[in-house]
Amino acid sequence: MRPRFYAPKANISGENIVLPDYEGRHLRQVLRLTSGSEVALFDGNGHEFSGIVQDVGGSSVVVRVGSQCAPPALEPGLAITVASAVLKSRSMDNVIKCSTLFGISAIQPVVSARSEVSLSSLQQGKRMERWRRIAVSAAKQCGGAVVPSILPPCNLNELSKNLTEVLDSGSPQLMLVEPSSSHNCLSISELEQPENREAALIIGPEGGWTTEEIEKGSTLFKLVTLGSRTFRAEVTPLVALASLFTAWKEF
């Protein structure tokens, strides 16, 4: 299998393009490919092309785009946006990675009451760029050709409005809560599949949502559970996505 590289400008056969810096470094310094090497290029929007390395000698790696080809992994028929409370560094990295492996369409970071990071620090820091690179790496690993959008972080009060802007009208916004919640909740297995096969999955932080956040969420979102068990925050997206994909016949 040819090495795969993310190339957002790879959309015209015959064009010479420059790989993003981190992809160029991987091609040149890690894989040690040279001019003439055959590679695969995916643009992050579902398209994949063959490619031939043209130049690795300068500050940038140049690749000639070849013919379009089918990516090794088919994209899912579900368009899921994962809205995750921001977890501790490595735990959040795992949420980005595992969610991307499922082929979700977007990731919305959420700063909740129990998040150990502020909204302003996320907006000013480099974590957003790190998460984008993790998403690219995960898409390469699983053979997917779509890189989920990493949306600007928001707080819970802004979340419903933000999701409405990226989802079609009527798409469910599902907020996962612990099974001990006193509110009426549905298990994911009981959810009806939306006609447009699109939804948002809202996942809480370490320690769970506060009582106030659940009260607020109950007025904006549909509250759901993963049955009677409580999972660690970084594991919850994996379990929830697998459950949703199974319930909605994607698996």
Side-chain angles (χ1 to χ4, degrees):
M1 186 175 179
R2 292 172 299 183
R4 302 178 75 236
F5 296 94
Y6 174 55
K9 297 181 180 179
N11 53 15
I12 301 177
S13 296
E15 291 259 329
N16 282 349
I17 62 165
V18 176
L19 292 183
D21 289 346
Y22 54 92
E23 290 291 83
R25 286 195 297 272
H26 187 242
L27 182 150
R28 179 170 49 200
Q29 298 175 9
V30 179
L31 298 182
R32 298 187 180 278
L33 300 183
T34 58
S35 297
S37 298
E38 296 184 1
V39 297
L41 307 170
F42 67 101
D43 65 0
N45 295 313
H47 308 112
E48 182 150 324
F49 298 81
S50 62
I52 301 291
V53 178
Q54 299 295 301
D55 184 12
V56 297
S59 59
S60 301
V61 172
V62 179
V63 180
R64 181 177 293 276
V65 181
S67 58
Q68 187 170 352
C69 49
L74 294 176
E75 298 302 326
L78 291 176
I80 305 297
T81 296
V82 171
S84 174
V86 178
L87 309 180
K88 295 175 183 177
S89 181
R90 288 195 176 275
S91 295
M92 192 64 187
D93 291 353
N94 287 334
V95 169
I96 303 293
K97 178 180 179 180
C98 291
S99 298
T100 302
L101 294 176
F102 271 91
I104 65 161
S105 58
I107 296 169
Q108 170 66 77
V110 180
V111 175
S112 68
R114 289 175 174 155
S115 295
E116 297 186 2
V117 63
S118 68
L119 195 58
S120 60
S121 66
L122 280 182
Q123 293 167 337
Q124 297 169 10
K126 297 181 179 180
R127 292 184 72 177
M128 296 290 290
E129 180 58 31
R130 172 180 172 80
W131 292 338
R132 290 188 184 98
R133 293 186 184 185
I134 289 171
V136 168
S137 177
K140 290 168 65 175
Q141 176 186 338
C142 70
V146 172
V147 176
S149 302
I150 310 293
L151 304 176
C154 67
N155 58 39
L156 193 62
N157 290 329
E158 302 166 326
L159 179 57
S160 182
K161 178 179 179 293
N162 285 15
L163 292 177
T164 300
E165 292 176 354
V166 298
L167 298 174
D168 290 339
S169 176
S171 298
Q173 299 178 15
L174 311 172
M175 183 178 185
L176 278 169
V177 297
E178 295 184 4
S180 58
S181 173
S182 59
H183 290 268
N184 291 326
C185 306
L186 288 176
S187 171
I188 279 184
S189 63
E190 299 175 298
L191 293 172
E192 292 185 4
Q193 182 181 141
E195 291 185 3
N196 62 359
R197 292 174 66 78
E198 180 184 72
L201 193 59
I202 305 162
I203 299 167
E206 292 100 343
W209 302 110
T210 65
T211 301
E212 293 75 18
E213 286 173 328
I214 294 176
E215 289 293 336
K216 177 74 172 179
S218 68
T219 66
L220 299 172
F221 313 116
K222 181 178 290 186
L223 302 187
V224 296
T225 69
L226 288 170
S228 61
R229 292 181 181 270
T230 299
F231 296 92
R232 288 177 59 89
E234 67 181 285
V235 175
T236 299
L238 182 63
V239 177
L241 286 168
S243 301
L244 197 59
F245 274 51
T246 300
W248 288 356
K249 312 288 186 204
E250 182 62 32
F251 286 165

